[in-house]
Amino acid sequence: DAGITQSPRHKVTETGTPVTLRCHQTENHRYMYWYRQDPGHGLRLIHYSYGVKDTDKGEVSDGYSVSRSKTEDFLLTLESATSSQTSVYFCAISGAGGPMGSYNEQFFGPGTRLTVL
Amino acid sequence: AQKITQTQPGMFVQEKEAVTLDCTYDTSDPSYGLFWYKQPSSGEMIFLIYQGSYDQQNATEGRYSLNFQKARKSANLVISASQLGDSAMYFCAMREGLGNTDKLIFGTGTRLQVFP
């Protein structure tokens, strides 16, 4: 199994407070991703990183920011949490983009359940 | 428009029977990959199987096979000889493009319940 952890695993916070979720990997994988999972929506990409200090927006990036200062860590920050950000957050990693037709499995972390009251 | 469509919110199957979970996709990119993930009640995402758009044969992994029909843009997952432990949510996902960013787009999932 890929070495990927998320912290905290559970968090309850209040509307308007800042929240930071951490994803840590020991696999030296280049790509890292943050998804959120909500009923009826499956998993949706928030932000991703393709290297240290290289990040880009995903499908549902509003209200979120990310940082990656080291290969192993990818942080997701909610600057001012809202109730609509109550969700389960998954981090994922993969090795690299490959040539045409190749693939790289994305390994997922255990998830963080965030509740914003 | 939905890129990945899973039309079956829930499926039931009897133990030891085969079951097919449907997935259709939409892309204009000739290079893409299709994935299936399993999410048991414990919450983790488990990779099951992959099919590349240029692969000539359908992918198989143990009891899992992917029925890839390119012209119909479908990538159905077939689970043979179902087991009680197969009860879970199943997600179809697609990666578009040449893989430089490896982003996945997920469907909304199908909940499979296996009964004795």
Side-chain angles (χ1 to χ4, degrees), chain A residues 31 33 35 37 40-43 45 48 90 94 96-106 108, chain B residues 31 35 37 39 43-45 47 50 52 54-55 91 95 98-104 106-108:
Chain A
Y31 290 83
Y33 313 81
Y35 294 90
Q37 183 177 26
H41 290 279
L43 277 77
L45 182 66
Y48 66 98
F90 285 96
S94 68
M100 186 182 301
S102 73
Y103 83 99
N104 280 281
E105 175 188 345
Q106 285 195 12
F108 282 79
Chain B
S31 300
F35 301 74
Y37 282 83
Q39 187 178 41
E44 70 266 34
M45 295 290 289
F47 167 77
Y50 165 84
Y54 297 101
D55 293 343
F91 291 96
R95 171 184 61 77
L98 300 179
N100 289 332
T101 55
D102 213 17
K103 293 178 289 182
L104 292 183
F106 284 82
T108 54

Side-chain angles (χ1 to χ4, degrees), chain A residues 22-74:
Chain A
R22 181 185 185 228
C23 177
H24 179 77
Q25 59 141 332
T26 58
E27 303 296 317
N28 201 34
H29 279 30
R30 177 181 176 185
Y31 290 83
M32 300 185 75
Y33 313 81
W34 278 107
Y35 294 90
R36 60 177 289 174
Q37 183 177 26
D38 304 290
H41 290 279
L43 277 77
R44 292 179 292 174
L45 182 66
I46 304 171
H47 281 280
Y48 66 98
S49 169
Y50 46 96
V52 173
K53 298 186 179 179
D54 291 323
T55 65
D56 205 346
K57 296 179 180 180
E59 179 187 0
V60 290
S61 60
D62 287 348
Y64 302 95
S65 62
V66 290
S67 65
R68 192 170 178 197
S69 59
K70 301 184 289 185
T71 298
E72 57 266 35
D73 289 325
F74 192 32

Side-chain angles (χ1 to χ4, degrees), chain B:
Chain B
Q2 290 278 9
K3 293 272 189 176
I4 293 285
T5 302
Q6 295 181 254
T7 58
Q8 306 155 314
M11 290 284 287
F12 288 88
V13 64
Q14 190 168 28
E15 199 176 8
K16 300 181 184 178
E17 297 295 312
V19 62
T20 297
L21 306 184
D22 294 342
C23 174
T24 58
Y25 60 92
D26 182 27
T27 182
S28 57
D29 197 312
S31 300
Y32 54 90
L34 297 156
F35 301 74
W36 277 93
Y37 282 83
K38 172 184 178 182
Q39 187 178 41
S41 57
S42 52
E44 70 266 34
M45 295 290 289
I46 302 167
F47 167 77
L48 295 178
I49 197 167
Y50 165 84
Q51 180 83 43
S53 60
Y54 297 101
D55 293 343
Q56 295 297 312
Q57 294 187 329
N58 287 347
T60 60
E61 290 286 347
R63 294 187 298 112
Y64 304 108
S65 60
L66 200 152
N67 184 2
F68 181 45
Q69 298 190 38
K70 199 169 183 176
R72 293 186 177 183
K73 294 188 175 179
S74 73
N76 298 339
L77 177 70
V78 180
I79 305 174
S80 63
S82 298
Q83 302 172 357
L84 296 177
D86 293 335
S87 294
M89 282 289 288
Y90 289 81
F91 291 96
C92 179
M94 176 175 65
R95 171 184 61 77
E96 289 183 302
L98 300 179
N100 289 332
T101 55
D102 213 17
K103 293 178 289 182
L104 292 183
I105 303 166
F106 284 82
T108 54
T110 295
R111 182 172 298 282
L112 176 67
Q113 296 189 51
V114 181
F115 59 93

